[in-house]
Amino acid sequence: MAEFNLLDSPPERAPGMRFEREWTKYQAYQIVLNGANQNGLGGIPQSVTKRPEERLWFPSVNFKYKLTDVIQIMGAAYKSEAKPNFLEISPLVIITGA
């Protein structure tokens, strides 16, 4: 942890860095929609595969300042990433009877 003095009680800060290298494989089937068939589907489902490679950096910093012997102010700032779940990346076909 690194410290620096600005006031009588020195605030503390703790910088950090995380690195992630990720190989992901997404595989699904793609269906062409058209209005010619009774069910609205046309053609044969085709397999679609994606293999993205990502290199991600996630910086962070934490702060702590002691106001009194019993009161502290703490805070943090960071970068993060939310991964998609399967329903968000899969091709979804909804057929409603109209």
Side-chain angles (χ1 to χ4, degrees), residues 2-87:
E3 295 185 10
F4 58 94
N5 297 324
L6 293 177
L7 306 169
D8 294 337
S9 176
E12 299 176 17
R13 69 176 181 164
M17 182 69 71
R18 190 176 85 238
F19 174 74
E20 289 184 13
R21 188 172 181 187
E22 179 179 290
W23 294 275
T24 309
K25 178 182 176 183
Y26 298 112
Q27 184 174 9
Y29 289 92
Q30 179 179 14
I31 300 172
V32 178
L33 295 177
N34 64 21
N37 296 340
Q38 183 179 6
N39 60 5
L41 301 176
I44 298 172
Q46 299 173 352
S47 177
V48 177
T49 303
K50 298 287 183 187
R51 290 185 175 93
E53 177 183 343
E54 295 183 282
R55 295 176 181 170
L56 306 167
W57 291 93
F58 298 105
S60 66
V61 64
N62 295 291
F63 294 97
K64 181 169 72 171
Y65 180 70
K66 189 174 184 179
L67 289 175
T68 67
D69 289 338
V70 294
I71 299 175
Q72 293 183 14
I73 297 175
M74 297 187 294
Y78 61 91
K79 179 183 175 186
S80 66
E81 181 179 272
K83 307 291 186 200
N85 64 29
F86 181 74
L87 289 177

